[in-house]
Amino acid sequence: MSSAITASEPKRLPVGRIVGFTVLALVVLFAFLTPLVWPVDPTKQSLRNVLAAPSWSEPLGYDHLGRSMLARLAAALRLSLGLAFLSVLTAAVPGALLGILAAWKGGIVDRALSVLGDVFLALPGLLLVLMLTAIAPDSPWALYVGISLVLWIEYFRLTRATTRTLITSPAVQASRLLGFGPAYIIRRHLWPEIAPMILTVAAFGAATAIMAIAALGFVSVGVRPPTPELGLMMTELLPYYEEAPHALLQPIIAVFLLVLSLNLIAGRKAQ
């Protein structure tokens, strides 16, 4: 009786994932609601307010050029979240589809796609991003394309390995014998097994993308002033850490919360 009750109990999300979703939701709300309730131009300068401390009129204070830290932090978070989401989406969709195609077809198709993945894997990701930013300087799109080209390999290899195991299972073989096509088999048998792994890798990939964007901005690669970007904000405020430590800490804390929340979301379910 007790075993039946236990089996019928719904699965609960681990506490870590609940915390991760909560933190990420709060950061997203801050990023996208701030311009609605605080419509301040993040590039507007006011030299009278240089490095001014937080106050009722400006809750997060001003930076070294008298720009609103609240407006700039929200804009930088929107940029990082947008680029990370696009990078993960652009990498996950073709990566997963190519992985399924390679495992399904096998033979020369599998070998060709595997070689293509090895080529991208052999090329250092940072070098690839730097090459694209050199071709299209001062453009966030170069960061997005470069990160996507680096991330798709993870989805390809994971999906390919999982699909190769699944297509030999009795359930898939039975569906083939009954005449069901690839679309049905993918939807009914492959996707339910692949989706949790892809979502986990996507969360890790988004965290990696945010860290990469911030690191490149910190070394002044990609986005240029006056565009608000978390890594670039750290670089600009670093010389003033003694006069205004609160200003320097804000982009650091923003990156920390984003990466922490995504890593908590990507954590495995408790067994």
Side-chain angles (χ1 to χ4, degrees):
M1 183 67 176
S2 60
S3 60
I5 296 176
T6 304
S8 63
E9 289 181 355
K11 294 182 179 180
R12 298 179 179 178
L13 279 176
V15 175
R17 283 192 171 179
I18 295 175
V19 173
F21 279 117
T22 302
V23 173
L24 181 61
L26 292 175
V27 173
V28 171
L29 287 175
F30 170 80
F32 288 93
L33 291 182
T34 295
L36 300 179
V37 300
W38 194 268
V40 176
D41 184 358
T43 62
K44 183 180 179 181
Q45 300 181 16
S46 176
L47 298 181
R48 293 178 300 176
N49 297 317
V50 169
L51 299 178
S55 62
W56 287 110
S57 60
E58 184 57 47
L60 297 183
Y62 295 86
D63 69 358
H64 62 298
L65 295 177
R67 297 173 295 194
S68 168
M69 284 297 298
L70 180 63
R72 288 184 66 78
L73 191 63
L77 283 169
R78 291 196 299 274
L79 177 63
S80 294
L81 287 167
L83 289 178
F85 174 77
L86 286 175
S87 298
V88 168
L89 183 63
T90 308
V93 173
L97 292 177
L98 291 175
I100 293 174
L101 177 65
W104 194 287
K105 293 295 185 180
I108 190 172
V109 175
D110 186 17
R111 290 194 295 272
L113 291 176
S114 297
V115 169
L116 179 63
D118 292 337
V119 169
F120 277 92
L121 196 62
L123 184 65
L126 179 59
L127 177 60
L128 180 60
V129 174
L130 291 175
M131 289 170 56
L132 290 173
T133 53
I135 296 172
D138 306 339
S139 173
W141 295 106
L143 295 176
Y144 149 65
V145 173
I147 294 171
S148 299
L149 290 176
V150 173
L151 291 179
W152 78 272
I153 307 167
E154 299 181 21
Y155 301 96
F156 168 75
R157 300 180 74 179
L158 174 65
T159 307
R160 174 177 172 269
T162 305
T163 303
R164 291 182 67 178
T165 302
L166 292 174
I167 59 177
T168 60
S169 64
V172 173
Q173 295 300 321
S175 295
R176 281 182 165 181
L177 291 174
L178 291 173
F180 291 107
Y184 173 84
I185 294 174
I186 292 173
R187 184 179 69 253
R188 181 67 177 84
H189 300 292
L190 301 185
W191 179 246
E193 298 294 330
I194 294 173
M197 293 182 288
I198 289 181
L199 294 177
T200 298
V201 175
F204 278 125
T208 302
I210 289 170
M211 287 292 293
I213 295 167
L216 291 169
F218 190 79
V219 296
S220 301
V221 174
V223 181
R224 298 290 185 181
T227 304
E229 193 279 318
L230 296 173
L232 186 58
M233 290 173 66
M234 297 179 202
T235 301
E236 293 176 336
L237 293 168
L238 187 59
Y240 310 98
Y241 71 94
E242 291 185 349
E243 295 92 334
H246 63 277
L248 176 60
L249 285 174
Q250 290 172 32
I252 296 175
I253 293 173
V255 173
F256 169 76
L257 291 177
L258 278 176
V259 176
L260 174 65
S261 63
L262 290 168
N263 283 332
L264 288 174
I265 292 171
R268 294 182 178 179
K269 295 182 179 180
Q271 302 296 326

